[in-house]
Amino acid sequence: MASTWVPDVSPDTPFSLANIPFGIVSSSADPAPHAAIAIGIHVLDLKALSSHATFHDVFPALKNHPGIFSKPTLNEFAALGRPVHREIRKTIQDLLSSETSRPEALKDNAELREKALLSQRNVKMHLPMNIGDYTDFYAGFHHAYSVGALFRGPQKALQPNYTHLPVGYHGRASSIVVSGTPIKRPVGQIIIDPTAEPKQPTTAPSRRLDIELELGCFISTPNEMGSSIKVTDAEDHIFGYVILNDWSARDIQTWEYIPLGPFNGKNFATTISPWVVLADALDPFRTKCLDNWTPLQPYLNENKKESIFDIELQVDLITPQGDATTISTTSSKYLMWSFPQMIAHHSLGGCPMRTGDILGTGTISGPTPNEKGSLLELSEGGKKDVMLYGMDVRRFLKDGDTVVMRGICGKPGEKVGFGDCVGRILAATPVQ
């Protein structure tokens, strides 16, 4: 990968020239949300870039899409499909390369650089997509096994269907927020005394507020209702990826989930990282799914052996006092099901996937104690303290706690990352 002429691009930045993630920003100079990409500590304002007279000569694929980077979301760009995304990303890489073939387009144009190359500190990040639907899967094998073992014992940890299909449920898209948005502790029905019979719930703030470390996938191009997406074609329907924290109120979830699954225990908030890493940027980091010992139905059989990614994932917990502790380090390689398999299964019955829909992997955990992607696992169901810096402890989240999730892959100078996925817990609204 060539170097960039953009100043102050550290070898350790997750926004190297090898990345070029897309997001939606606003600034004091232009408060209307619009498209940008991240490079080092800067953003390249694509709306400002597209205002230049030579823009359509540099980006011929966008000639019939005027103002596409002035939109408040990336949906219209995503809907153009992966070949266009690939061409635009490569062109931006060329414009930002030290050896660019078009220096006059940006590198040597001081006036345009002044307008288009901004500090990340001077922009506000917004939700990158207009999200119509959200589906959360359960593809993390080690999480599924360890949580199942907590409640059903090791012999019955996995449900009989787990290795036959990617288990999922429909989540709530309206409560998906961009990194940095505060998260209010939810209120719901909970059981105070689990030993009492009959069970008697009370309505109160959740006492077992948790995190779920996930990878999210945005859909680019749709399928028609009544049709399905082949697993071998599913890659063409993927726009890009984000880090996703599906906040979970375990006590609300425990009481409500039988027989239809999660509801208020999940629908109050989901946080995503601000930058969408395009599918092509993660191609070098492909790896094989965890072995599945069950023969699959033909529609789930992939031709590719390497259909998931080896992304280094990290979760930090920052207390109200400002003390930070890394509570988990794991990898996205610990998935049994790939996104193409999730898409193929999701659309099998004719469900129409739409541009901007997001799929979550479910919690990603590894096999060792320090690789767990939820406090439910780290605390062994709330029975064990998770040690924090300064002799503080947690079993679940307290008001004022901040959770920071990160994902990164690649070597220095060529790192690919998503930006921080951050949420701070606020006190619940008093029960009326």
Side-chain angles (χ1 to χ4, degrees), residues 124-183:
K124 179 182 178 181
M125 301 302 302
H126 300 268
L127 204 62
M129 303 286 282
N130 179 21
I131 303 170
D133 285 295
Y134 165 41
T135 305
D136 197 28
F137 284 88
Y138 204 43
F141 172 81
H142 295 293
H143 172 75
Y145 180 84
S146 62
V147 170
L150 278 173
F151 297 114
R152 295 184 296 273
Q155 300 304 317
K156 296 182 178 180
L158 297 178
Q159 298 286 9
N161 66 348
Y162 186 79
T163 59
H164 289 268
L165 55 83
V167 175
Y169 75 97
H170 295 292
R172 183 71 181 176
S174 64
S175 56
I176 298 178
V177 295
V178 73
S179 174
T181 305
I183 305 301

Side-chain angles (χ1 to χ4, degrees), residues 270-294:
T270 300
T271 302
I272 63 171
S273 54
W275 297 102
V276 181
V277 175
L278 296 192
D280 281 2
L282 288 179
D283 265 349
F285 311 105
R286 288 183 174 276
T287 189
K288 187 177 180 294
C289 286
L290 294 179
D291 288 333
N292 188 338
W293 56 89
T294 300

Side-chain angles (χ1 to χ4, degrees), residues 123-296:
V123 300
K124 179 182 178 181
M125 301 302 302
H126 300 268
L127 204 62
M129 303 286 282
N130 179 21
I131 303 170
D133 285 295
Y134 165 41
T135 305
D136 197 28
F137 284 88
Y138 204 43
F141 172 81
H142 295 293
H143 172 75
Y145 180 84
S146 62
V147 170
L150 278 173
F151 297 114
R152 295 184 296 273
Q155 300 304 317
K156 296 182 178 180
L158 297 178
Q159 298 286 9
N161 66 348
Y162 186 79
T163 59
H164 289 268
L165 55 83
V167 175
Y169 75 97
H170 295 292
R172 183 71 181 176
S174 64
S175 56
I176 298 178
V177 295
V178 73
S179 174
T181 305
I183 305 301
K184 185 171 288 189
R185 182 178 296 272
V187 170
Q189 285 196 25
I190 62 176
I191 299 295
I192 301 297
D193 182 2
T195 64
E197 292 295 343
K199 295 286 189 293
Q200 181 58 49
T202 186
T203 302
S206 171
R207 301 181 180 189
R208 294 165 67 91
L209 186 56
D210 199 359
I211 59 172
E212 289 193 344
L213 171 62
E214 305 190 23
L215 191 64
C217 166
F218 278 115
I219 297 296
S220 58
T221 51
N223 62 298
E224 292 183 0
M225 185 173 179
S227 68
S228 59
I229 298 173
K230 293 181 180 179
V231 69
T232 51
D233 297 335
E235 293 276 4
D236 294 333
H237 293 262
I238 295 175
F239 176 47
Y241 304 89
V242 291
I243 301 298
L244 185 151
N245 182 359
D246 194 28
W247 306 89
S248 299
R250 301 299 185 186
D251 42 3
I252 297 174
Q253 181 182 356
T254 298
W255 176 238
E256 73 183 2
Y257 84 101
I258 298 172
L260 295 181
F263 190 57
N264 285 334
K266 295 276 193 176
N267 67 11
F268 60 94
T270 300
T271 302
I272 63 171
S273 54
W275 297 102
V276 181
V277 175
L278 296 192
D280 281 2
L282 288 179
D283 265 349
F285 311 105
R286 288 183 174 276
T287 189
K288 187 177 180 294
C289 286
L290 294 179
D291 288 333
N292 188 338
W293 56 89
T294 300
L296 298 181

